[in-house]
Amino acid sequence: MKIFIDSADIGEIKEAAAMGAIDGVTTNPSLLAKTGRGLKDTIVEICEVVDGPISAEVIATDTQGILTEGRELAALHKNVVVKVPLIIDGLKAVRQLTTEGIKTNVTLCFSPSQALLAAKAGATMISPFVGRLDDISMPGMELIEQIIDIYQNYDLSTEVLVASVRHPIHFVESARMGADIATVPLKVIQQLAQHPLTDIGLAKFLEDAKKIPKG
Ligand code: G3P
C-alpha cells in the first residue's frame, strides 16, 4: 500500500519524507487555510520535496470552473493530481480532464455508488472518507471493503485512496483489505512507528550497555 501524507504544511511533509515512507501528498482547502499560504505556491514547493502524486483541490463547483482550475493546477507540475468533489458537475469535469490526460482524485466520497460513478468517469483515484463516516456512527472501513469488491468485480483501474484516516487501525485495516493508498496525517504516521515495548526494550538495552566493559 502506498502511503501519502495528508498535509499542506511543508515542515510536516519534509519530516514525513525524511522517514522514507512517503509516496505522495494530499491537500485540501482546510489544510491549506491552516498554513496561511497560497495554493499554487504551496503545491509547487511540495512537488519539489516529494516525487510522487500531489493532490491539489479545485474550489469551483461548476463543470466549466472545475475544468479551468483543474487545467491551471495540472500545468503547475507533472505530478499534480487534480482533486475534484464528488458532485455531478465534478464527474462531468473528471470525464473531460481524463480525456486530456490530466489525473484526478475524486474526493468527498461517502458511498459505493459514488465510487462506481467516479471510476466510470475515469477518476485516477477515489477518496472515501472513513473517519467522517465513523463520526456519524457509520463504519467507514465497510465502505472501503465495498468499493474494493466492486472495483475488483469489474476490473476498474481507479485507485482506492483511503482518506480521513484518524488512527493506526484505519491504516492497518486498509492494508489488510488491499487498498491502493492511505493518506495519513503526520501524527498518525508517527503513531505507526511507535510501540511501547520498543521504548521499554530500548531503555533496557541502553541501561545494560553501560555495564559492558570497554574494549
Ligand atoms: O484530505 C481529506 C481527508 O483526509 C480529511 O480528513 O480528518 O478532515 O476528515 P478529516
Side-chain angles (χ1 to χ4, degrees):
M1 183 169 71
K2 286 176 271 189
I3 305 175
F4 289 4
I5 179 168
D6 198 23
S7 176
D9 182 306
I10 289 289
E12 286 189 0
I13 293 167
K14 283 184 177 165
E15 173 67 22
M19 289 169 64
I22 300 305
D23 302 296
V25 181
T26 52
T27 66
N28 65 38
S30 306
L31 293 170
L32 270 151
K34 277 196 224 166
T35 70
R37 299 187 53 210
L39 169 65
K40 290 181 181 169
D41 290 350
T42 305
I43 294 298
V44 168
E45 197 174 344
I46 294 173
C47 288
E48 285 162 9
V49 175
V50 176
D51 184 19
I54 312 297
S55 288
E57 190 158 340
V58 299
I59 305 300
T61 53
D62 63 292
T63 303
Q64 274 316 312
I66 293 171
L67 287 173
T68 304
E69 282 182 35
R71 288 170 185 140
E72 282 173 17
L73 290 170
L76 292 175
H77 192 281
K78 65 176 174 48
N79 287 345
V80 169
V81 176
V82 177
K83 209 168 170 190
V84 178
L86 211 160
I87 53 177
I88 290 171
D89 274 59
L91 293 172
K92 292 177 186 171
V94 166
R95 182 168 178 245
Q96 177 57 31
L97 291 169
T98 303
T99 66
E100 296 174 23
I102 294 174
K103 292 188 173 158
T104 54
N105 171 0
V106 177
T107 189
L108 291 166
C109 172
F110 293 96
S111 78
S113 58
Q114 288 181 314
L116 181 51
L117 288 182
K120 299 281 282 185
T124 314
M125 299 164 194
I126 183 73
S127 286
F129 279 33
V130 294
R132 292 191 195 184
L133 280 170
D134 291 352
D135 287 344
I136 58 160
S137 302
M138 295 185 72
M141 291 313 297
E142 275 183 17
L143 174 61
I144 303 305
E145 203 170 12
Q146 290 169 335
I147 296 172
I148 290 173
D149 278 352
I150 291 169
Y151 282 9
Q152 280 176 354
N153 283 346
Y154 302 105
D155 215 12
L156 293 165
S157 59
T158 300
E159 290 187 291
V160 178
L161 189 169
V162 182
S164 189
V165 167
R166 302 275 176 78
H167 50 67
I169 296 173
H170 280 148
F171 178 86
V172 172
E173 286 299 303
S174 299
R176 291 188 67 185
M177 287 176 187
D180 299 286
I181 308 157
T183 189
V184 187
L186 179 62
K187 182 181 152 224
V188 179
I189 293 173
Q190 289 166 335
Q191 288 173 333
L192 297 176
Q194 291 161 352
H195 196 287
L197 290 179
T198 304
D199 298 338
I200 292 167
L202 180 59
K204 175 83 173 108
F205 284 157
L206 294 178
E207 193 186 304
D208 289 344
K210 291 179 198 155
K211 301 172 197 157
I212 303 171
K214 291 218 184 322

